[in-house]
Amino acid sequence: MKKKTLLLAGLLGFNIAMAQEIKPYGSLPSKAQVAWNDMEYYMFIHFGPNTFTNKEWGHGDEDPKVFNPTHLDARQWARTAKLAGMKGIVITAKHHDGFCLWPSKYSTHTVRESAWKDGKGDVLAELSAACKEYGLKFGVYLSPWDRNHPEYGTATYNQVFANTLNEVLSGYGPVFEQWFDGANGGNIKQPYDWNLFHSVVYKNQPNAVIFSDVGPGCRWVGNENGIAGTTNWSTLNVKGFTPGAGGPPTKSLNEGNEDGEQWIPAECDVSIRPGWFYSPDTNDKVKSISHLLDIYYGSVGRNGNLILNVPVDREGLIHPNDSTRLMELRRVLDATFKNNLAKQAVVTATHTRSNNAAVQVAHLNDGTNSTYWATSDDATTTAITLTYKKPVTFNRLVLQEYIALGQRVKAFSVEILENGKMKEVARETTIGHKRILLLPDYTTTQVRINILDAKAAPVISEVQLYKAPGVLATPEISRDKAGHINITCASADPVIHFTTDGSMPGVKSPVFNKNTQLSLPRGGTVKAKAFLKNGNASDLATAAFDVAPAKWQVIQADAAAKDHEAGAAIDGNKATVYLTDRQATAKYPHEFQVDLGETLSLKGFTYIPATGESLGGIVYGYEFYTSADGKNWGKPVASGQFANIKNSPVQQNVAFKATAARYIRFVAVAPADAAQDWAGIAELGVITR
Ligand code: FUL
């Protein structure tokens, strides 16, 4: 080995002796990207005026005085992230409303103009110090789309944004990730100077990973559900694409591109609540453990990093409902990944690369992904076998590639020894930084991983096996049109206990089973928990209902698409949807009128869009009218846009000045997706409480 190459290998931080003997394959990660992938799980914090105004996209004209957290404690955020097992925090330094969480020189819409700490506070200073104290990495989100800045949309704005960036990236210590949001829901078009923005990032923070739809550090995964594709390449084709509306197709974002031009791994962003910002309306809607586990396995388990948003509340704290859930999740993950059963196995492989001290079969189960095993260059199919003296029971398989040398594996299968024969129990595609397979319990003395196809000699750093404890599924609470409540649980044997008085259900609370008659046609709150005989309990499910659509009737709607009749919008079931006729020539606006069957004091309405394969028709612009007689409607009681509904199609709650009415009219004014002329409603509801 030449001295120079050795030095190079050392400089690149690659693994010890002779690593250069394995030729890197394809697009490669930088050292910063490798370190970033190792972080796997970190916190997103959305915080700003929206926290106080119940908005998802502020308009930028909010009075900065609304920003006034009463007990802001960034150390509590950092402590929570640390205890949750997260490795860093990324905060919305500036969201679309333009409000800066630090006293920026380049804006007059900042914490300085707010009521908080008499304008003397600086959230970024407090958070970066707290992250340092707790050993967490610190990252920043800055939205180029700015609905406040007077220069937005003019030739000078790009420099304003660059100055703003420079201020943040030079003022608060090391930044591990720079999050650039591609969203732009406004009418003013501003061509962004991405080269300028990137140069500011790299000048100040050469190790920062830059997030956008096209990286260059990491990429948006194509949805806000936190779920990557089962096939997930960390490489992406970016030529011809730009961040935001000009981004690559959703499938590429979700699955990457095999042999893509650049190393741009997926980051899965999702909020622990339905919205990105805190709202008191969502205190009871923190995602369940079952849901969060699906997200964890769908992101970290599929070669993606998970950035989980935990919105800070109006006090300036992480709400106890969110932190409790994070700790419950941590307990489950710790119990799952405590005992690596692969460590007790004798590991063998069919093809091991020779004459390379860095390559060892023993590295496969040594518990670290900084060492590896590999085949010789001609062997792109191979098998790794774990053999046990006594049978082991497992239900999770973790595989990791040594990504510093590129992503290589294209297909693999898993077999176990059963009755003297090998039986295939899984067949999958990519691995990347980490792949976790969820399997039923298997008891066996031999597990084999067959690499069926690879771009080049597989370089695997880890094979791990675990036995995850059973987790009781969170109960699901639903209510039908008439107001009858149903509570189910996906786990087999538990007893479900519930309350309707707001108290925590315990084993002494009433039992819910198929004979239970529970009806809440006028609304109410149901809390439920599942219990096993041994005392184990699920996490808490809560559902708050308003008036049921028992007496409601559709009095006017557009022609409906086949199997999607108008009644589905008010049947209490969000799985059935009303879609206007997709073949029809009728274009926006679409109108929908309902007779509530009685006069109610209305304080707002709710809209759940139709999502899922081949549905769409998500409404963006809306008007909402009320009437006492179904004839005189007057001016709309509410109108506007459902902010961020395209990427995050969750229930929308719109409040308006209380009014007594028997008839309601929802007008879909503009679509979220300009290519879709039809409107869809999974459920329309009213707010009376
Ligand atoms: C989106 C934004 O529009 C949302 O408000 C949120 O910040 C999310 C993380 O990114 O593009």
Side-chain angles (χ1 to χ4, degrees):
M1 186 194 254
K2 286 205 199 97
K3 236 188 175 163
K4 220 163 129 195
T5 32
L6 237 183
L7 188 71
L8 186 70
L11 275 179
L12 290 173
F14 289 166
N15 197 284
I16 47 174
M18 320 277 260
Q20 83 287 358
E21 263 198 13
I22 303 174
K23 226 171 114 219
Y25 175 82
S27 308
L28 296 174
S30 66
K31 203 177 158 192
Q33 285 173 312
V34 173
W36 173 88
N37 247 153
D38 276 333
M39 290 176 68
E40 293 184 355
Y41 176 40
Y42 36 87
M43 189 182 274
F44 214 171
I45 291 182
H46 276 61
F47 188 43
N50 293 346
T51 308
F52 301 86
T53 57
N54 262 4
K55 287 184 201 167
E56 279 294 304
W57 281 356
H59 291 87
D61 57 359
E62 293 76 20
D63 182 346
K65 295 272 182 290
V66 298
F67 183 84
N68 192 15
T70 47
H71 298 94
L72 187 141
D73 181 2
R75 295 178 68 244
Q76 185 247 12
W77 315 349
R79 195 162 55 240
T80 306
K82 186 74 183 180
L83 290 172
M86 293 165 156
K87 298 292 190 291
I89 301 181
V90 178
I91 185 157
T92 52
K94 177 173 88 97
H95 202 254
H96 309 322
D97 60 13
F99 185 84
C100 302
L101 292 181
W102 77 103
S104 175
K105 285 203 292 237
Y106 305 102
S107 168
T108 54
H109 195 52
T110 77
V111 281
R112 190 183 47 232
E113 285 74 32
S114 79
W116 178 56
K117 289 194 168 175
D118 293 326
K120 305 264 167 7
D122 182 338
V123 180
L124 298 191
E126 295 196 18
L127 181 58
S128 58
C131 283
K132 200 164 162 208
E133 178 184 343
Y134 285 93
L136 297 169
K137 293 191 180 173
F138 172 68
V140 285
Y141 163 118
L142 276 117
S143 167
W145 180 30
D146 190 318
R147 303 176 98 176
N148 173 270
H149 207 283
E151 282 166 81
Y152 188 78
T154 73
T156 49
Y157 177 77
N158 278 325
Q159 193 54 52
V160 171
F161 187 67
N163 293 345
T164 311
L165 251 185
N166 192 63
E167 198 175 43
V168 170
L169 297 175
S170 62
Y172 300 96
V175 167
F176 84 97
E177 180 166 329
Q178 169 62 51
W179 224 91
F180 282 128
D181 196 316
N184 188 338
N187 297 326
I188 308 175
K189 291 294 163 229
Q190 165 81 48
Y192 298 127
D193 188 344
W194 289 108
N195 289 336
L196 172 66
F197 305 162
H198 291 175
S199 69
V200 175
V201 178
Y202 290 133
K203 185 189 80 186
N204 290 292
Q205 302 285 343
N207 292 322
V209 165
I210 298 180
F211 168 99
S212 85
D213 305 66
V214 289
C218 63
R219 71 173 197 267
W220 184 44
V221 76
N223 61 61
E224 293 182 1
N225 312 329
I227 306 285
T230 48
T231 297
N232 184 11
W233 295 99
S234 290
T235 52
L236 187 72
N237 294 326
V238 291
K239 269 196 203 98
F241 298 118
T242 56
T250 307
K251 189 175 156 66
S252 297
L253 292 170
N254 201 237
E255 301 180 2
N257 298 121
E258 184 178 342
D259 291 322
E261 291 149 6
Q262 283 184 45
W263 185 273
I264 308 179
E267 183 185 81
C268 306
D269 62 325
V270 60
S271 183
I272 196 164
R273 292 177 178 228
W276 288 98
F277 283 89
Y278 174 81
S279 160
D281 297 348
T282 57
N283 283 345
D284 287 338
K285 297 200 169 62
V286 176
K287 290 188 169 61
S288 68
I289 287 297
S290 310
H291 193 166
L292 291 171
L293 284 170
D294 287 348
I295 289 172
Y296 185 84
Y297 287 115
S299 55
V300 175
R302 293 185 184 170
N303 188 31
N305 271 9
L306 171 57
I307 180 165
L308 179 62
N309 181 64
V310 186
V312 165
D313 68 13
R314 292 179 181 172
E315 287 190 66
L317 297 172
I318 291 176
H319 192 276
N321 290 7
D322 306 66
S323 53
T324 304
R325 206 43 60 84
L326 288 173
M327 297 313 131
E328 287 168 344
L329 177 66
R330 186 69 261 157
R331 269 198 293 281
V332 175
L333 291 174
D334 283 347
T336 300
F337 297 109
K338 191 169 63 188
N339 183 17
N340 177 6
L341 299 164
K343 288 198 168 176
Q344 306 157 18
V346 173
V347 185
T348 55
T350 51
H351 305 73
T352 296
R353 196 178 188 92
S354 53
N355 297 327
N356 187 325
V359 174
Q360 280 175 39
V361 173
H363 288 162
L364 287 167
N365 63 343
D366 65 358
T368 164
N369 70 338
S370 59
T371 62
Y372 53 81
W373 159 92
T375 64
S376 54
D377 287 338
D378 54 352
T380 51
T381 60
T382 179
I384 298 165
T385 307
L386 280 69
T387 306
Y388 293 87
K389 285 206 191 78
K390 283 198 209 118
V392 290
T393 302
F394 74 99
N395 53 21
R396 299 285 181 275
L397 168 69
V398 178
L399 294 173
Q400 294 195 268
E401 284 186 81
Y402 186 75
I403 56 169
L405 293 170
Q407 188 178 353
R408 297 154 178 251
V409 176
K410 202 178 159 179
F412 68 96
S413 70
V414 182
E415 294 175 304
I416 59 158
L417 185 65
E418 196 178 85
N419 303 325
K421 275 200 228 130
M422 292 312 278
K423 172 180 138 184
E424 184 173 297
V425 295
R427 189 171 268 257
E428 296 289 338
T429 52
T430 52
I431 298 176
H433 165 73
K434 186 175 270 186
R435 187 72 199 271
I436 310 174
L437 298 189
L438 275 85
L439 302 164
D441 287 3
Y442 286 119
T443 302
T444 185
T445 54
Q446 205 163 74
V447 182
R448 184 187 292 157
I449 295 109
N450 300 299
I451 307 289
L452 304 171
D453 193 3
K455 312 292 307 178
V459 187
I460 308 290
S461 59
E462 276 297 295
V463 176
Q464 303 175 351
L465 290 181
Y466 297 96
K467 165 81 171 66
V471 174
L472 258 182
T474 316
E476 303 224 10
I477 307 166
S478 60
R479 189 185 65 174
D480 68 10
K481 185 168 167 85
H484 302 305
I485 300 291
N486 192 23
I487 313 178
T488 56
C489 180
S491 297
D493 299 318
V495 179
I496 299 171
H497 292 272
F498 73 95
T499 64
T500 53
D501 60 3
S503 64
M504 181 65 94
V507 284
K508 299 218 171 89
S509 311
V511 171
F512 194 98
N513 59 34
K514 60 180 188 323
N515 301 319
T516 308
Q517 296 285 334
L518 177 62
S519 217
L520 290 176
R522 308 310 292 173
T525 298
V526 181
K527 291 185 189 268
K529 257 183 155 189
F531 293 84
L532 285 180
K533 286 209 185 69
N534 66 11
N536 276 0
S538 71
D539 58 341
L540 175 70
T542 306
F545 300 101
D546 210 296
V547 174
K551 307 177 189 163
W552 299 13
Q553 274 181 34
V554 178
I555 48 173
Q556 194 199 308
D558 285 13
K562 211 165 155 270
D563 298 333
H564 295 295
E565 42 100 25
I570 51 164
D571 64 356
N573 180 1
K574 48 187 182 200
T576 59
V577 311
Y578 158 51
L579 291 185
T580 63
D581 192 352
R582 281 168 291 184
Q583 309 305 324
T585 43
K587 303 242 186 294
Y588 271 77
H590 297 285
E591 252 190 63
F592 186 68
Q593 286 180 27
V594 175
D595 174 359
L596 304 175
E598 64 184 323
T599 299
L600 293 173
S601 171
L602 303 180
K603 297 188 175 131
F605 79 96
T606 60
Y607 164 64
I608 304 178
T611 55
E613 287 292 305
S614 73
L615 294 176
I618 298 177
V619 176
Y620 179 54
Y622 66 84
E623 285 175 356
F624 195 84
Y625 298 78
T626 59
S627 167
D629 56 9
K631 292 184 191 86
N632 300 303
W633 294 95
K635 289 211 184 83
V637 287
S639 62
Q641 288 97 26
F642 298 122
N644 200 32
I645 195 168
K646 189 172 174 192
N647 289 337
S648 181
V650 296
Q651 174 172 316
Q652 309 290 313
N653 298 343
V654 177
F656 49 74
K657 213 171 130 242
T659 172
R662 171 165 171 171
Y663 298 87
I664 57 173
R665 178 207 274 168
F666 175 66
V667 185
V669 178
D673 182 338
Q676 299 182 342
D677 285 333
W678 67 93
I681 308 176
E683 214 59 34
L684 195 72
V686 295
I687 302 173
T688 64
R689 296 165 167 255

